[in-house]
């Protein structure tokens, strides 16, 4: 297996990680990424296989589990009860309860409100250059999540701050300051949800929190900690991914001069999938080996971690001809942007719905939309999103 060296915080890599992925894929399905001290899957076949191989999972093997530092206790408590970090049988139970509440009917019912929200946000666009990431790409998913959960819209700025602080824990440039902010935000978010869940118990509404409470009370229960962690996960995962899917997508669509035909009703699904494939918002997921496993010429032992490089898998020429070319008319092939296997993203249908609505509305309402400066990606690997997206309508 080839050993590769690439700092995830190197400015060139932050702005364009795809040449590294191409070079890594030329070395085989697996490489050893020295900077992470970890075997990394970079081909579509390897990533797809590892997502579905039940000999690998997200949950830390018990003998490797360590008690985290005291200053991270609030954040660690949320993580400990998160669906994302669980494996069967705990994962099976949690996901079944969440899916009982997070129904396709509830998601589809959001369509008119998302369309109205997009148009309202566009009505408020300023005349001069402005940051589309802040005024549109962020607002669409965070306000939609507020409506889904049943949380007042005026809580959106707080939810946004808490979400940013908590997910920053996964980035390569993590510091003690980031950890302290994450812990404080986890504590604030938990306190808010505690109060809100109590109010929904006495005053149920037609919202996701109420449905999660109802699921808790039907024999198989969500505990208080699981309820809180699930609501936080829905916001953090659902919001962060969609913000950068929209931001990266608009950047690409503008830079490639994509025409209005890509937003037609019979073309938008292909456009959305190509946006997700070409420049996804999450580039790495990790798994633990739970037993001895021979894969792609490498022998994994229990406790080994492996990185699944989603950004690399999505540019694999074995699946997509000329993969470094953005082609919104490309035939849809399943990409890895929303994960796979047991941990396939619960919120993927909502994210796709938001993109199917937000992109056509934006480009139909703003046919002269153009970049005002060269977009710059933030130093936040393994997330891949812009610092800002300065445009003029």
């Amino acid at each position: 297996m080839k050993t590769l060296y690439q700092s995830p915080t190197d400015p060139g890599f932050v702005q364009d990680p795809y040449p590294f992925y191409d070079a890594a894929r030329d070395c085989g399905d697996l490489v050893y990424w020295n900077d992470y001290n970890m075997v990394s899957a970079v081909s579509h076949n390897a990533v797809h296989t590892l997502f579905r191989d039940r000999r690998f999972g997200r949950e830390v093997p018990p003998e490797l589990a360590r008690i985290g530092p005291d200053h991270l206790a609030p954040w660690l408590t949320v993580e400990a009860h998160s669906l994302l970090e669980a494996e069967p049988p705990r994962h099976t139970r949690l996901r079944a309860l969440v899916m009982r509440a997070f129904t396709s009917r509830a998601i589809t019912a959001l369509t008119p409100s998302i369309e109205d929200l997009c148009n309202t946000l566009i009505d408020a666009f300023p005349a001069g250059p402005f940051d589309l990431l802040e005024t549109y790409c962020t607002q669409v998913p965070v306000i939609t999540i507020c409506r889904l959960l049943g949380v007042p819209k005026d809580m959106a700025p707080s939810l946004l701050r808490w979400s940013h602080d908590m997910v920053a824990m996964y980035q390569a440039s993590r510091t003690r300051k980031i950890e302290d902010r994450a812990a404080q935000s986890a504590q604030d978010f938990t306190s808010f949800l505690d109060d809100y869940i109590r109010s929904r118990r006495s005053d149920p509404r037609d919202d996701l929190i109420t449905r999660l409470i109802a699921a808790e009370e039907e024999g198989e229960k969500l505990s208080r900690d699981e309820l809180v962690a699930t609501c936080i996960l829905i916001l953090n995962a659902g919001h962060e991914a969609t913000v950068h899917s929209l931001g990266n997508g608009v950047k690409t669509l503008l830079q490639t001069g994509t025409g209005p035909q890509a937003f037609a009703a019979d073309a938008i699904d292909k456009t959305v999938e190509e946006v997700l494939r070409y420049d996804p918002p999450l580039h790495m997921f990790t798994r633990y080996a739970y037993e001895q496993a021979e894969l792609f010429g490498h022998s994994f032992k229990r406790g080994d971690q492996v990185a699944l490089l989603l950004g690399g898998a999505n540019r694999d020429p074995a699946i997509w001809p000329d993969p470094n070319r953005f082609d919104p008319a490309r035939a849809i092939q399943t990409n890895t942007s929303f994960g796979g296997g047991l941990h396939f993203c619960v919120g993927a249908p909502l994210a796709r719905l938001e993109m199917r609505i937000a992109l056509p509305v934006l480009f139909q309402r703003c046919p002269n939309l153009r970049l005002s400066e060269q977009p710059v990606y933030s130093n936040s690997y393994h997330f891949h999103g812009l610092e800002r997206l300065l445009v003029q309508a």
Side-chain angles (χ1 to χ4, degrees):
M1 182 188 304
K2 188 74 176 288
T3 296
L4 299 181
Y5 300 82
Q6 175 60 68
S7 168
T9 61
D10 174 77
F13 176 83
V14 168
Q15 296 310 311
D16 186 7
Y18 297 104
F20 170 73
Y21 298 147
D22 289 343
R25 203 184 309 104
D26 287 343
C27 298
D29 296 287
L30 303 177
V31 297
Y32 185 80
W33 193 345
N34 185 75
D35 302 74
Y36 275 100
N37 192 29
M38 200 180 300
V39 173
S40 299
V42 69
S43 71
H44 181 272
N45 185 28
V47 170
H48 179 83
T49 298
L50 282 160
F51 266 135
R52 288 159 179 78
D53 193 322
R54 295 309 308 141
R55 295 174 295 178
F56 296 82
R58 286 285 297 171
E59 201 165 330
V60 183
E63 70 273 18
L64 297 181
R66 300 288 183 269
I67 297 175
D70 289 344
H71 72 277
L72 277 177
W75 184 84
L76 291 169
T77 297
V78 172
E79 289 291 288
H81 295 90
S82 172
L83 174 67
L84 185 64
E85 305 301 328
E87 289 297 321
R90 193 164 65 101
H91 177 274
T92 306
R93 169 182 159 272
L94 284 172
R95 189 170 180 113
L97 288 168
V98 171
M99 293 305 292
R100 200 178 298 169
F102 203 64
T103 63
S104 57
R105 181 188 66 82
I107 293 169
T108 303
L110 292 167
T111 298
S113 68
I114 296 173
E115 291 175 344
D116 179 66
L117 171 61
C118 291
N119 280 293
T120 299
L121 292 170
I122 292 170
D123 288 340
F125 282 177
F130 63 98
D131 183 3
L132 190 76
L133 200 67
E134 179 181 344
T135 58
Y136 191 73
C137 301
T138 295
Q139 299 306 317
V140 171
V142 76
I143 293 174
T144 298
I145 291 289
C146 283
R147 291 171 175 173
L148 181 68
L149 289 172
V151 172
K153 179 183 169 182
D154 60 11
M155 281 301 300
S158 294
L159 298 179
L160 197 58
R161 185 179 70 256
W162 295 335
S163 174
H164 285 328
D165 289 348
M166 292 182 72
V167 301
M169 287 290 289
Y170 295 105
Q171 67 189 45
S173 53
R174 174 172 146 185
T175 63
R176 173 60 190 258
K177 185 176 181 180
I178 286 173
E179 292 181 351
D180 288 339
R181 281 203 302 259
Q184 184 61 57
S185 288
Q187 183 172 311
D188 293 343
F189 206 163
T190 298
S191 296
F192 166 74
L193 285 170
D194 266 340
D195 292 341
Y196 212 77
I197 289 167
R198 275 196 295 271
S199 73
R200 279 293 176 266
R201 288 186 189 280
S202 58
D203 182 22
R205 305 283 181 88
D206 184 19
D207 56 44
L208 184 58
I209 289 181
T210 299
R211 289 193 291 274
L212 286 169
I213 292 169
E216 179 198 17
E217 295 170 347
E218 293 174 3
E220 283 291 323
K221 297 182 178 181
L222 284 169
S223 69
R224 170 266 185 196
D225 287 335
E226 289 167 345
L227 265 171
V228 168
T230 297
C231 291
I232 290 176
L233 176 63
I234 287 169
L235 175 78
N236 290 357
H239 153 258
E240 293 285 339
T242 309
V243 168
H244 295 303
S245 295
L246 284 172
N248 296 356
V250 171
K251 166 191 174 288
T252 299
L253 291 161
L254 291 176
Q255 287 181 330
T256 55
T258 300
Q261 69 280 0
F263 309 109
D266 61 352
I268 187 59
D269 284 340
K270 287 183 177 179
T271 300
V272 167
E273 290 309 302
E274 181 69 350
V275 162
L276 290 167
R277 178 201 74 82
Y278 184 78
D279 203 19
L282 179 67
H283 278 212
M284 179 195 286
F285 242 115
T286 57
R287 292 286 188 272
Y288 287 96
Y290 292 146
E291 60 184 77
Q292 185 83 16
E294 299 284 339
L295 281 174
F296 304 103
H298 179 72
S299 179
F300 291 94
K301 65 180 185 298
R302 179 175 171 83
D304 284 350
Q305 267 193 295
V306 56
L308 281 57
L309 304 186
L310 314 187
N314 281 358
R315 297 281 189 105
D316 191 336
I319 306 297
W320 295 278
D322 196 7
N324 290 319
R325 178 174 64 90
F326 179 75
D327 179 9
R330 192 186 296 273
I332 294 176
Q333 296 278 352
T334 302
N335 61 64
T336 62
S337 299
F338 289 118
L342 289 180
H343 287 283
F344 182 76
C345 179
V346 171
L350 176 58
R352 286 191 167 103
L353 177 65
E354 289 171 335
M355 294 178 71
R356 282 201 302 267
I357 295 170
L359 289 173
V361 170
L362 175 66
F363 282 93
Q364 288 161 10
R365 290 285 310 275
C366 304
N368 299 316
L369 190 70
R370 61 192 185 278
L371 295 171
S372 294
E373 69 174 22
Q374 177 65 29
V376 175
Y377 289 95
S378 64
N379 181 15
S380 56
Y381 194 82
H382 47 84
F383 297 105
H384 186 65
L386 301 169
E387 290 181 355
R388 62 177 182 172
L389 184 58
L390 205 62
V391 300
Q392 188 154 348

